[in-house]
Amino acid sequence: MSPVSLLLNILWVVLGGFWMALGWVVAAVIMAITIIGVPWARAAFNIATYTLFPFGQKAVSRDEYLGRSDVGTGVLGLIGNIIWLVLAGWWLALGHVVTAVILAVTIIGIPFAWAHLKLAGIALWPIGKTIVPA
């Protein structure tokens, strides 16, 4: 991780990244408790880590990254994303959007607001994504 990414990640955690990462962890734990939600819990834990340290990383589709489809990028992934959207995705996305609006009020907060908006999109459709170095 570059020094700039490290500095941005530290500022990110202080300026609200921690709370949104905690939201992802809560969603993951709730999904894991249900046993049926374990695939969603795994995706939520991965994105919770990304939400805690988003600079220097990016989320990409697994089929584009690996060059082949798998269970999470096919029809089952589509169904899983629809279920996720209904159960947890909309409120995580809403949290990211509200945080982005608050951060966008200041010039210093604009890069962080942009990162929250990208995370809001991921919050709506996380299955089939993987986190890779930028």
Side-chain angles (χ1 to χ4, degrees), residues 21-37:
L22 188 63
W24 278 94
V25 169
V26 168
V29 168
I30 290 170
M31 291 293 177
I33 288 172
T34 67
I35 305 292
I36 296 171

Side-chain angles (χ1 to χ4, degrees), residues 7-124:
L7 177 63
L8 287 172
N9 281 323
I10 291 169
L11 288 171
W12 170 265
V13 169
V14 171
L15 295 175
F18 175 78
W19 297 109
M20 287 310 302
L22 188 63
W24 278 94
V25 169
V26 168
V29 168
I30 290 170
M31 291 293 177
I33 288 172
T34 67
I35 305 292
I36 296 171
V38 169
W40 294 282
R42 181 176 174 260
F45 275 123
N46 288 340
I47 297 172
T49 304
Y50 176 54
T51 302
L52 193 57
F53 303 112
F55 296 98
Q57 301 182 78
K58 64 181 179 177
V60 296
S61 177
R62 271 199 321 266
D63 58 353
E64 290 175 12
Y65 183 69
L66 298 174
R68 65 185 185 322
S69 295
D70 60 20
V71 174
T73 59
V75 175
L76 289 176
L78 174 68
I79 294 167
N81 275 321
I82 292 169
I83 293 169
W84 171 264
L85 176 67
V86 171
L87 296 177
W90 68 271
W91 65 265
L92 283 168
L94 181 65
H96 282 294
V97 169
V98 168
T99 306
V101 168
I102 292 168
L103 287 171
V105 172
T106 66
I107 292 174
I108 293 171
I110 291 173
F112 302 108
W114 185 249
H116 273 293
L117 291 177
K118 289 194 292 187
L119 283 163
I122 295 168
L124 294 174

